[in-house]
């Protein structure tokens, strides 16, 4: 498993990592999840929880180096070229929405249910239905748009 | 994709059995034993081999001896993630995951069961059919075979001798872990995933049928054992019934779970017969006679000499296990077929308990009692609400109907 300081270094490519607030923790979880799904060198087991894909061992790892006020120390760790690339791609994907917690949760949640490979119309419909059940706060239009964006992103990445 | 978790403790060459079973499965599905197509059809993954690879350990023993529990747990997690990724990339039709849900080393059990770990392997399965495409099967064998196998491997795995009672307890833990895995893998449609208990000496076709159908056709055979085992003609009669029932099941792509595929009462019987000696010797021909499995060659283990004190120590556990196990087998079955509960001269308490349990679960057991033809129309064996048939052919015909309903 990668060290907690490596994770913090990676997350710093996508903003200022912290665990102080719920939003901070959610962002950390979803970015690591998406990074892992895109080929980053992490191996955390993510399951589906109340706020989308979540890994208890990731939380443990991050909290292990956080201070009492849930801030991270300054770290200076080199990350691999592959992981730099993944961080860049994710940064481009989110663009100005890098701090939009709701959007990050939406994308991670859609990604979790969207299978790899060719996505048929029926599959898209299933994912929309599934998200409507699991996350009714997300409008169907937003889910559809996230699906299309993810499909396009995956196609470019391959 | 279908995923089958094959759990089970060490001590009965589970991995070798599963390699052989995979070949059997491929042949049944008309695939060659090796090759890309066969690999795409059925992939066998050995979790322990992957864990050793991921952790960079020399052996599983070296891994288990590591000091840090947290580090070991992380490697287990990484292994699940790695397996999940590999499965996703190759898109196999069926995956057999050969796994120990519990290791016992240095007097400690490991690892913790985490739902998310198992979901790395199952999350690629189409949700709509998830419950029918996931199986959790705990493979088991007689604990005296496990005991002897572990001793015979002492040179490969030093300091791993276990007492019979420890093996029995470990098996109970493994079964419990399987139940936890199955419960936690319940899919979002709230369809339950059943954890099956399967003795490896059953016919291979039974295991194939347990996996192949989306909803397995599983029945349970009940018959007197204690009162009949020392009477050869009764044993022959019961075995004939067992074989016929199994044939019917196989012809209809089903299986019967058979209580004599585990015969640990042999320990108690041997203890009674051989009296107060330091060691009790178990002989293979004293076991309830069953057809040999093509994948199990344990001839070199017999006779099995066990310290008497270990058998005395485990006596009550065996008795408890027999009951719990047979009830569990009934839980997994859609029907119970009981053969001549009074064969042997008196009503079998074991059959009575099993019928009573099945009735409690609402599974109307089917019972063959030839003497019922001379009884009142509303005759109820043991006072239980069971369906009684006095004609043997009709009994077998009803077995087929019930199993395929």
């Amino acid at each position: 498993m990668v060290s907690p300081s490596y994770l913090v270094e990676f997350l710093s490519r996508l903003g200022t990592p912290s665990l102080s607030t719920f939003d901070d923790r959610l962002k950390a979880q979803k970015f690591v999840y998406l990074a892992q799904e895109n080929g980053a060198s992490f191996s955390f087991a993510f399951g589906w929880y109340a706020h989308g894909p979540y890994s208890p061992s990731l939380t443990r790892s991050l909290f292990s180096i956080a201070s009492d006020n849930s801030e991270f120390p300054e770290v200076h760790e080199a990350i691999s070229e592959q992981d730099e690339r993944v961080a860049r791609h994710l940064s481009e994907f989110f663009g100005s929405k890098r701090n939009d917690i709701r959007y990050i949760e939406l994308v991670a949640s859609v990604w979790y249910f969207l299978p790899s490979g060719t996505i048929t119309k029926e599959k898209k419909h299933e994912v929309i239905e599934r998200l409507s059940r699991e996350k009714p706060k997300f409008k169907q239009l937003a889910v559809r748009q996230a699906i299309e964006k993810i499909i396009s992103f995956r196609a470019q990445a391959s | 994709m279908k995923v089958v978790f094959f759990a089970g403790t060490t001590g009965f060459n589970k991995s070798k059995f599963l390699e052989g079973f995979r070949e059997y499965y491929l042949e049944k599905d008309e695939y060659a034993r090796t090759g890309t197509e066969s690999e795409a059809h059925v992939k066998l993954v050995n979790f322990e081999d992957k864990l050793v690879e991921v952790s960079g350990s020399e052996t599983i023993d070296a891994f288990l001896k590591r000091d840090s529990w947290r580090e070991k747990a992380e490697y287990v997690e990484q292994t699940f993630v790695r397996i999940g990724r590999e499965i996703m990339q190759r898109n196999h039709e069926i995956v057999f995951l050969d796994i120990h849900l519990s290791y016992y080393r240095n007097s400690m059990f490991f690892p913790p069961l985490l739902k998310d770990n198992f979901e790395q392997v199952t999350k690629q399965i189409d949700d709509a059919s998830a419950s029918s495409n996931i199986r959790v099967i705990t493979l088991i064998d007689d604990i005296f075979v496990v005991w002897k196998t572990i001793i015979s491997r002492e040179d490969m795995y030093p300091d791993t001798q276990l007492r019979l009672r420890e093996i029995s307890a470990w098996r109970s833990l493994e079964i419990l872990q399987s139940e936890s895995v199955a419960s936690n893998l319940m899919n979002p449609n709230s369809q339950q995933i059943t954890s099956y208990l399967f003795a490896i000496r059953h016919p291979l076709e039974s295991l194939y049928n347990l996996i192949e159908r989306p909803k397995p056709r599983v029945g349970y055979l009940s018959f007197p054992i204690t009162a009949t085992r020392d009477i050869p003609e009764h044993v022959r009669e019961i075995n004939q019934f067992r074989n016929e029932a199994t044939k019917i099941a196989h012809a209809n792509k089903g299986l019967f779970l058979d209580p004599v595929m585990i015969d640990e009462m042999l320990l108690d019987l041997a203890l009674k017969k051989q009296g107060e000696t330091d060691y009790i010797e178990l002989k293979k021909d004293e076991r309830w006679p069953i057809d040999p499995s093509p994948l199990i060659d344990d001839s070199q283990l017999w006779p099995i000499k066990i310290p008497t004190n270990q058998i005395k120590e485990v006596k009550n556990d065996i008795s408890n296990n027999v009951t719990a196990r047979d009830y569990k087998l009934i839980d997994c079955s859609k029907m119970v077929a009981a053969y001549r509960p009074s064969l042997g001269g008196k009503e079998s308490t074991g059959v009575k308990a099993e019928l009573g349990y099945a009735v409690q679960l609402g599974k109307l057991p089917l019972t063959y009692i030839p003497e019922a033809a001379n009884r009142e129309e509303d005759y109820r064996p043991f006072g239980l609400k069971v369906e009684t048939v006095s004609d043997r052919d009709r009994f077998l015909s009803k077995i087929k109907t019930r199993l395929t309903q």
Side-chain angles (χ1 to χ4, degrees):
Chain A
M1 209 72 99
V2 294
S3 68
S5 50
Y6 188 97
L7 282 170
V8 172
E9 185 70 40
F10 176 87
L11 286 169
S12 69
R13 304 292 190 269
L14 295 158
T16 309
S18 166
L19 297 176
S20 309
T21 66
F22 174 78
D23 286 357
D24 290 334
R25 296 191 290 276
L26 188 146
K27 219 164 59 157
Q29 281 279 342
K30 304 312 175 235
F31 278 153
V32 170
Y33 168 71
L34 289 167
Q36 189 169 293
E37 288 291 301
N38 280 282
S41 60
F42 323 133
S43 292
F44 292 99
F46 281 86
W48 181 261
Y49 285 72
H51 293 278
Y54 174 84
S55 162
S57 60
L58 171 60
T59 292
R60 263 195 305 275
S61 185
L62 290 173
F63 269 101
S64 71
I65 61 163
S67 62
D68 286 347
N69 62 357
S70 302
E71 295 296 343
F72 291 119
E74 252 193 57
V75 297
H76 299 286
E77 195 157 326
I79 68 172
S80 71
E81 262 185 52
Q82 167 67 6
D83 289 348
E84 288 282 8
R85 214 168 12 248
V86 170
R88 250 191 335 268
H89 288 159
L90 279 182
S91 194
E92 282 162 17
F93 178 96
F94 282 102
S96 58
K97 291 188 178 181
R98 254 194 326 178
N99 291 311
D100 184 336
I101 297 300
R102 220 172 131 88
Y103 185 69
I104 294 168
E105 188 186 339
L106 168 68
V107 168
S109 302
V110 170
W111 193 294
Y112 189 86
F113 291 120
L114 205 61
S116 50
T118 311
I119 314 283
T120 60
K121 220 164 102 176
E122 289 72 29
K123 247 313 147 207
K124 287 183 195 175
H125 183 72
E126 270 176 38
V127 172
I128 293 169
E129 288 288 304
R130 184 77 185 264
L131 260 291
S132 300
R133 282 198 311 272
E134 302 281 352
K135 297 250 171 236
K137 65 182 177 185
F138 294 127
K139 298 271 183 291
Q140 284 202 2
L141 176 61
V143 174
R144 255 192 223 110
Q145 287 170 342
I147 289 173
E148 296 308 326
K149 184 154 188 189
I150 289 170
I151 291 173
S152 164
F153 179 76
R154 283 179 181 172
Q156 280 174 26
S158 61
Chain B
M1 187 175 75
K2 182 179 284 186
V3 174
V4 185
F5 293 96
F6 282 107
T9 64
T10 191
F12 54 92
N13 296 315
K14 181 158 80 81
S15 297
K16 192 166 160 222
F17 175 84
L18 285 173
E19 281 165 19
F21 177 67
R22 174 182 175 266
E23 287 180 1
Y24 173 87
Y25 202 104
L26 285 167
E27 272 185 46
K28 283 284 282 183
D29 286 357
E30 295 176 4
Y31 282 81
R33 287 183 172 198
T34 56
T36 323
E37 276 186 20
S38 303
E39 189 84 343
H41 184 53
V42 181
K43 171 75 179 166
L44 174 60
V45 179
N46 185 304
F47 186 90
E48 187 168 290
D49 286 349
K50 276 271 177 260
L51 177 59
V52 165
E53 188 189 310
V54 164
S55 66
S57 306
E58 270 194 41
T59 61
I60 186 63
D61 201 48
F63 171 78
L64 292 170
K65 278 182 174 159
R66 289 182 188 224
D67 290 328
S68 169
W69 189 92
R70 174 60 52 210
E71 186 193 48
K72 286 190 293 197
E74 283 177 2
Y75 278 125
V76 167
E77 183 178 342
Q78 282 181 59
T79 304
F80 274 106
V81 172
R82 167 91 67 97
I83 290 170
R85 274 185 192 148
E86 285 176 8
I87 287 170
M88 187 180 73
Q89 277 162 12
R90 311 275 160 79
N91 202 22
H92 305 281
E93 284 164 22
I94 305 166
V95 175
F96 290 169
L97 182 58
D98 173 10
I99 185 168
H100 297 304
L101 297 179
S102 54
Y103 285 95
Y104 185 47
R105 197 71 176 91
N106 297 344
S107 311
M108 288 190 49
F109 287 103
F110 178 82
L113 267 197
L114 299 172
K115 174 172 94 85
D116 296 336
N117 283 351
F118 291 87
E119 284 184 350
Q120 302 311 300
V121 179
T122 63
K123 66 183 177 187
Q124 301 308 321
I125 296 173
D126 183 296
D127 283 327
S129 61
S131 70
S132 59
N133 280 340
I134 300 172
R135 292 278 186 280
V136 180
I137 300 174
T138 309
L139 298 177
I140 58 173
D141 198 3
D142 294 309
I143 58 167
F144 42 80
V145 167
V146 174
W147 181 87
K148 184 71 186 278
T149 304
I150 290 175
I151 284 181
S152 67
R153 301 200 293 217
E154 181 69 13
D155 55 339
M156 274 168 53
Y157 302 104
D159 305 322
T160 54
Q161 279 195 40
L162 293 173
R163 298 177 74 79
L164 274 179
R165 199 165 192 216
E166 286 176 295
I167 293 170
S168 173
W170 188 2
R171 187 175 65 189
S172 295
L173 174 67
E174 187 78 1
I175 294 167
L176 177 67
Q177 301 284 68
S178 293
E179 296 286 356
S180 299
V181 169
S183 305
N184 278 281
L185 286 178
M186 204 163 72
N187 79 0
N189 295 326
S190 298
Q191 291 169 43
Q192 196 175 3
I193 289 162
T194 305
S195 157
Y196 291 94
L197 201 52
F198 191 87
I200 57 168
R201 292 175 195 268
H202 279 92
L204 297 181
E205 191 164 355
S206 294
L207 186 55
Y208 175 85
N209 289 341
L210 182 59
I211 294 165
E212 207 267 337
R213 286 180 59 83
K215 283 191 177 170
R217 288 178 171 157
V218 186
Y220 177 78
L221 297 178
S222 178
F223 44 84
I225 298 174
T226 309
T228 57
R229 66 184 302 148
D230 289 330
I231 305 169
E233 66 254 33
H234 288 339
V235 171
R236 268 195 302 274
E237 182 182 339
I238 288 172
N239 277 355
Q240 190 180 350
F241 160 66
R242 287 176 51 242
N243 290 336
E244 284 176 25
T246 299
K247 247 189 186 157
I248 289 169
H250 289 173
N252 292 279
K253 302 193 188 303
L255 65 144
F256 273 108
L257 296 172
D258 190 334
V260 294
M261 293 304 176
I262 295 285
D263 189 14
E264 288 160 0
M265 290 309 285
L266 181 61
L267 289 163
D268 190 41
L269 294 171
L271 186 66
K272 283 180 179 143
K273 277 187 187 162
Q274 293 174 42
E276 290 297 322
T277 53
D278 287 341
Y279 285 86
I280 299 294
E281 189 171 272
L282 303 181
K283 297 195 182 75
K284 194 165 185 180
D285 58 9
E286 287 174 347
R287 202 202 179 284
W288 185 286
I290 56 176
D291 292 339
S293 165
L295 297 183
I296 300 169
D297 177 17
D298 60 359
S299 49
Q300 77 284 6
L301 296 179
W302 296 88
I304 299 175
K305 258 174 90 168
I306 304 178
T308 306
N309 61 3
Q310 285 199 33
I311 298 179
K312 284 182 177 175
E313 193 179 75
V314 84
K315 225 169 86 101
N316 285 343
D317 298 306
I318 297 293
S319 179
N320 291 336
N321 280 346
V322 166
T323 309
R325 183 171 53 248
D326 293 344
Y327 283 3
K328 168 65 185 169
L329 296 179
I330 293 171
D331 283 341
C332 298
S333 304
K334 61 192 290 194
M335 58 107 37
V336 173
Y339 187 86
R340 299 195 69 185
S342 302
L343 187 63
K346 57 178 182 173
E347 285 183 338
S348 162
T349 51
V351 174
K352 180 181 177 182
E354 288 168 3
L355 291 180
Y357 184 66
V359 168
Q360 255 184 67
L361 296 180
K363 299 179 185 185
L364 180 68
L366 186 61
T367 314
Y368 171 59
I369 302 178
E371 32 300 7
N374 303 325
R375 302 265 195 144
E376 305 282 340
E377 219 174 273
D378 60 352
Y379 166 62
R380 286 180 175 198
F382 311 111
L384 292 169
K385 190 180 173 192
V386 305
E387 183 177 354
T388 303
V389 182
S390 57
D391 179 84
R392 199 173 185 280
D393 288 338
R394 215 167 132 244
F395 175 59
L396 293 173
S397 169
K398 276 186 172 273
I399 280 177
K400 180 193 166 185
T401 307
R402 288 278 205 92
L403 198 61
T404 54
Q405 262 169 2

